[in-house]
C-alpha cells in the first residue's frame, strides 16, 4: 500500500513539468548541472528533483542540504518542498548553514569555549582599523573599505597578499592598495582583540573545522550526503571551498544557475565554477531549461537580443529563451529631455496603470545606482502613487512592525482569532492607531500604513502547516519564523530598486530608467569584463518584466545639461534608442533658457560633515543623530499653510511638500530662492509655484495672509505669489 502511495506521490511531483524540467528531476544521482534561464521554472525543477528523490526512497530528507544565497530564497525553497511532501529537508544560505554547524561544533573545535559573537556590520570594526592604520576616511570611505575587505576574504586573499591580488584582479581600490592592505591587517587585529568574528569567518572556520578535524568531517558528512546549490553562478571561492569540504570527494551534487545572470563579480562571485562544471565533472548530466514562463514573447525577444551580443566565458553557456506566454505589447522605448522629466513621465504612467487595475505591488522602477531613487521617490509622491524602497530598512526591523508583533503576541492570550483571523489582526492594529480605511498622506506615514496593512493581508493568506497551530497563536509563530528568515510579506506599493537588488524578483510592469552611457554601463566599467557584467545587469532587468516593459533615459541629467548617448547595449537592438527623443512632444519638456540648479545627490551633514545617504537625512541636510535647529512654531505655520494649499488644489498634502521637506525648511530657514532649491523636494516647478509663499512664511507671515478664506474662490497661484 505504501509503495503505491509513494508511486502516486512521485507521479504528482512530475505532473505538469515540461520535457526539460522532467529530465532535470529524474536525472540519476551524481553530478547534475541545470542551466536555467530567467523565468524557466528553476525553483520548481530543483524542488521537484529533491521531492522526487525523497518520495521514491532514493534519499532521506534529513540527508539533503539545499543551499542558496538569500534567507528569502531559502524560505521559499522550504515552503515548496513541504508542499511537495518533502518534509525535513534543510534549505539554508551558506552562512546560515555554517553558523548552525559552527555553533554545534564550537565546544569541540574551541576546546570547550562557545562560538565568539558574530559582528554583523563591518563598519564599526573598519572605523577602528582605519584609526589604527593611520588612515582618515569619511563614511563613504569606510563603507568602501568594508566592501573591499569582504571581497578579499571571499576570495581567500590574506592581508599580506592583497596588493598583488588586487592588481591581478584589476580592482579599483578605494585607497592606495598598500593603505587598503594596512587597514585590512588592522581590521583582523581589532577583530581578534574584541573576540568577535564576521560572516566570512563563519565559512572559514567551518572549512578549517572539517579539513583539520576528521571527527568533525565524519559527522558533517554522515549528516549531509546530497547537496543542491541554487544560483551557482554567484558562488565565491570561499563558498566553493566550504562546499567541497562538505562533499569530501563525494559526487551527489546538483547545481543550478544561469551564467547570463552573473552580476556580483565585484563581491568575489564568479561563474567559473558553473561554466567549468561539465569539464570538472566529466560524467555530469547537463540539462538546459529554456522555456520562459514568466515573460511575454516580446520581452523574451528583447532579452535574447541583449544577451546575444555577449562575449567572454559566460557567453559559452548562453541560453536562447523561448517565450511561453501569450503575446503582449512591444517594449516601450522613451527618450526625455532630462531626468526630472523622465521621472515625472514614469510616475504618471504608474498612476495610469494602477487606475487601470494593475496592483501597485505589481510595478517596479529599476535603476543602476541607488542614488537615482530620490528623483523617483519625489515624482511618485507628487503623483500620489505609493511606493516601497527595496534595500531600505528591513520589514521586520521596522519599529511599527516590532510593536505590532509584541501586541499580537499579547492578544493571543485573550483572543484565539479562530473565527476571523484577519479581523482579529486588524482590530489589534487599530488599537495601535492604524486606521484601515484611512491611508495617510506623506511618504513616511504612508509607508508605515502599508507595512501594517501587509500584516493584515498576510493573516488573510495564512494557512497553518499540518499539525501546526492555527488562529492567532499559529499566525504569531508564522511571523516569528518569517522574521528569523527575513521573509517579508509583499507591501502594496510600486517597488523602487536597484538592478542588483531586483535579481530573483518579477513584476507585471517594469520601468528600466536612466539607460544612458555613464549610468548603464556605469562610467567605472572600463575593462571588457566589467562592460560584459553591465550588459548582464541590463539583461537581468529586462527579464524581471512579465508583460509591460518600459525603457527610458534623459538626454541630459538636468535641464540644459550636456547631452548623453543612449545605452550602447540597446543601440541597434531596440527601436527608439538611436539617440533622438521618441516620446510625444507633450511628454517632453522644453528646455528653458535658464533654470536654477537642482541639489546634488550626495550631500554632507551641515553639523558634523559626514556624507549623507538616506533620503530623509539628505532632505534635512544633517545626520539623524546630530542636533536639530528646528523652529517648531515655524513648522506649525508651514504645516497649516500646506494643508490649506492642498485643500485648495484638491490633492494630498504631501503632493505640495512632504513632511521631511517642511522639517528641513523649519530647520535650515533659507532666505532666498537659491537656498530653497538646495532643499530636496523643492525643484524648479515647486519653486515657481510656492517659492514666494514659503519665503513669506519664513519671514514671519501667517497662513491667513497668503491664502483666501475660501480656497478656490480665486486663483491659487495668484495668492501664493502675493507679498505679505
Amino acid at each position: 500500500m505504501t509503495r503505491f502511495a509513494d508511486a502516486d506521490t512521485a507521479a504528482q511531483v512530475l505532473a505538469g513539468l515540461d520535457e526539460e524540467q522532467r529530465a532535470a528531476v529524474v536525472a540519476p544521482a551524481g553530478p547534475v548541472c541545470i542551466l536555467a534561464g530567467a523565468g524557466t521554472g528553476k525553483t520548481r525543477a530543483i524542488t521537484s528533483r529533491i521531492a522526487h528523490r525523497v518520495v521514491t526512497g532514493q534519499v532521506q530528507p534529513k540527508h539533503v542540504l539545499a543551499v542558496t544565497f538569500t534567507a528569502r530564497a531559502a524560505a521559499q525553497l522550504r515552503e515548496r518542498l513541504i508542499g511537495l511532501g518533502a518534509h525535513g529537508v534543510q534549505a539554508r544560505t551558506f552562512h546560515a548553514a555554517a553558523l548552525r554547524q559552527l555553533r554545534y561544533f564550537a565546544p569541540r573545535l574551541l576546546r570547550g569555549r562557545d562560538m565568539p559573537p558574530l559582528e554583523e556590520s563591518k563598519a564599526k570594526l573598519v572605523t577602528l582599523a582605519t584609526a589604527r592604520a593611520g588612515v582618515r576616511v569619511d563614511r563613504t570611505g569606510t563603507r568602501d573599505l568594508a566592501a573591499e575587505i569582504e571581497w578579499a576574504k571571499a576570495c581567500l586573499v590574506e592581508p599580506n597578499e592583497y596588493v598583488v591580488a588586487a592588481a591581478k584582479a584589476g580592482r579599483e581600490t578605494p585607497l592606495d592598495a598598500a593603505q587598503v592592505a594596512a587597514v585590512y591587517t588592522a581590521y583582523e587585529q581589532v577583530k581578534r582583540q574584541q573576540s568577535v568574528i564576521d560572516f566570512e569567518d563563519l565559512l572559514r572556520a567551518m572549512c578549517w573545522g572539517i579539513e583539520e578535524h576528521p571527527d568533525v568531517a565524519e559527522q558533517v558528512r554522515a549528516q549531509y550526503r546530497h547537496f543542491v546549490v541554487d544560483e551557482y553562478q554567484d558562488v565565491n571561492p570561499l563558498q566553493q571551498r566550504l562546499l567541497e569540504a562538505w562533499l569530501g570527494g563525494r559526487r551527489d551534487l546538483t547545481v543550478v544557475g544561469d551564467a547570463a545572470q552573473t552580476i556580483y563579480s565585484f563581491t568575489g562571485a564568479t561563474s567559473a565554477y558553473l561554466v567549468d562544471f561539465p569539464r570538472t565533472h566529466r560524467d555530469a548530466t547537463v540539462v538546459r531549461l529554456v522555456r520562459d514562463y514568466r515573460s511575454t514573447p516580446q520581452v523574451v525577444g528583447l532579452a535574447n537580443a541583449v544577451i546575444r551580443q555577449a562575449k567572454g566565458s559566460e557567453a559559452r553557456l548562453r541560453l536562447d529563451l523561448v517565450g511561453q506566454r501569450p503575446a503582449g505589447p512591444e517594449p516601450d522605448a522613451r527618450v526625455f529631455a532630462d531626468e526630472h522629466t523622465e521621472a515625472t513621465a514614469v510616475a504618471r504612467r504608474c498612476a495610469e496603470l494602477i487606475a487601470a487595475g494593475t496592483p501597485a505591488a505589481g510595478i517596479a522602477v529599476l535603476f543602476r545606482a541607488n542614488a537615482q531613487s530620490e528623483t523617483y521617490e519625489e515624482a511618485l509622491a507628487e503623483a500620489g502613487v505609493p511606493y516601497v524602497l527595496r534595500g531600505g530598512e528591513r520589514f521586520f526591523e521596522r519599529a511599527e512592525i516590532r510593536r505590532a508583533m509584541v501586541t499580537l503576541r499579547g492578544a493571543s492570550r485573550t483572543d484565539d482569532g479562530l473565527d476571523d483571523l484577519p479581523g482579529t489582526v486588524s482590530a489589534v492594529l487599530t488599537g495601535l492607531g492604524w486606521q484601515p480605511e484611512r491611508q495617510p498622506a506623506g511618504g513616511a506615514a504612508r509607508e508605515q500604513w502599508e507595512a501594517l496593512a501587509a500584516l493584515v493581508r498576510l493573516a488573510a493568506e495564512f494557512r497553518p502547516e499540518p499539525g501546526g497551530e492555527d488562529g492567532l497563536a499559529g499566525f504569531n509563530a508564522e511571523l516569528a519564523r518569517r522574521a528569523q528568515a527575513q521573509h517579508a510579506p509583499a507591501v502594496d506599493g510600486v517597488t523602487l530598486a536597484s538592478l542588483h537588488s531586483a535579481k530573483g524578483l518579477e513584476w507585471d510592469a517594469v520601468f528600466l530608467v536612466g539607460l544612458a552611457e555613464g549610468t548603464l554601463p556605469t562610467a567605472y566599467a572600463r575593462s571588457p569584463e566589467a562592460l560584459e557584467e553591465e550588459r548582464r545587469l541590463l539583461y537581468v532587468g529586462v527579464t524581471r518584466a512579465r508583460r509591460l516593459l518600459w525603457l527610458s533615459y534623459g538626454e541630459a541629467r538636468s535641464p540644459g545639461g550636456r547631452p548623453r548617448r543612449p545605452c550602447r547595449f540597446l543601440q541597434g537592438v531596440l527601436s527608439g534608442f538611436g539617440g533622438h527623443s521618441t516620446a510625444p512632444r507633450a511628454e517632453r519638456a522644453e528646455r528653458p533658457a535658464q533654470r536654477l540648479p537642482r541639489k546634488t545627490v550626495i550631500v554632507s551633514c551641515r553639523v558634523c560633515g559626514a556624507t549623507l545617504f538616506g533620503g530623509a537625512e539628505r532632505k534635512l541636510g544633517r545626520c539623524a543623530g546630530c542636533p536639530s535647529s528646528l523652529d517648531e512654531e515655524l513648522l506649525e505655520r508651514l504645516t497649516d499653510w500646506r494643508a490649506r494649499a492642498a485643500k485648495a488644489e484638491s490633492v494630498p498634502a504631501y503632493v505640495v511638500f512632504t513632511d521631511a521637506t517642511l522639517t528641513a525648511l523649519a530647520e535650515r530657514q533659507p532666505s532666498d530662492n537659491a537656498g530653497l532649491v538646495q532643499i530636496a523636494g523643492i525643484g524648479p516647478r515647486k519653486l515657481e509655484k510656492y517659492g514666494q509663499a514659503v519665503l513669506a512664511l519664513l519671514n514671519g507671515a501667517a497662513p491667513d495672509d497668503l491664502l483666501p478664506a475660501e480656497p478656490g474662490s480665486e486663483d491659487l497661484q495668484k495668492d501664493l505669489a502675493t507679498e505679505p
Side-chain angles (χ1 to χ4, degrees), residues 563-575:
R564 300 184 297 177
R565 292 182 292 120
C567 171
R568 70 185 70 182
F569 308 133
L570 292 172
Q571 295 186 52
V573 171
L574 183 64
S575 175

Side-chain angles (χ1 to χ4, degrees), residues 346-361:
V346 167
R348 183 168 60 247
R349 181 62 178 137
C350 287
E352 292 170 356
L353 290 174
I354 293 170
T358 302

Side-chain angles (χ1 to χ4, degrees), residues 179-200:
Q179 287 182 300
V180 176
V183 173
Y184 184 9
T185 300
Y187 172 84
E188 293 296 316
Q189 294 169 348
V190 168
K191 190 156 52 68
R192 283 193 296 271
Q193 285 181 350
Q194 297 200 359
S195 299
V196 297
I197 60 174
D198 60 24
F199 280 107
E200 289 71 43

Side-chain angles (χ1 to χ4, degrees), residues 347 351 354 378-387 439 446 652 654-655:
I354 293 170
E378 293 178 2
L380 290 169
E382 288 191 15
V385 175
Y387 64 86
Q439 300 181 20
R446 178 63 178 265
Y654 66 84
V655 172

Side-chain angles (χ1 to χ4, degrees), residues 62 88 110 126 242 345 351 373 407 610 702:
K62 65 180 181 179
L110 303 177
V126 171
L242 178 59
S373 73
T407 308

Side-chain angles (χ1 to χ4, degrees), residues 324-360:
Q324 303 296 300
R325 291 191 59 181
E330 292 292 334
D332 191 357
R334 302 290 183 98
V335 183
F336 298 94
D338 53 65
E339 289 183 350
H340 178 71
T341 308
E342 179 186 13
T344 300
V346 167
R348 183 168 60 247
R349 181 62 178 137
C350 287
E352 292 170 356
L353 290 174
I354 293 170
T358 302

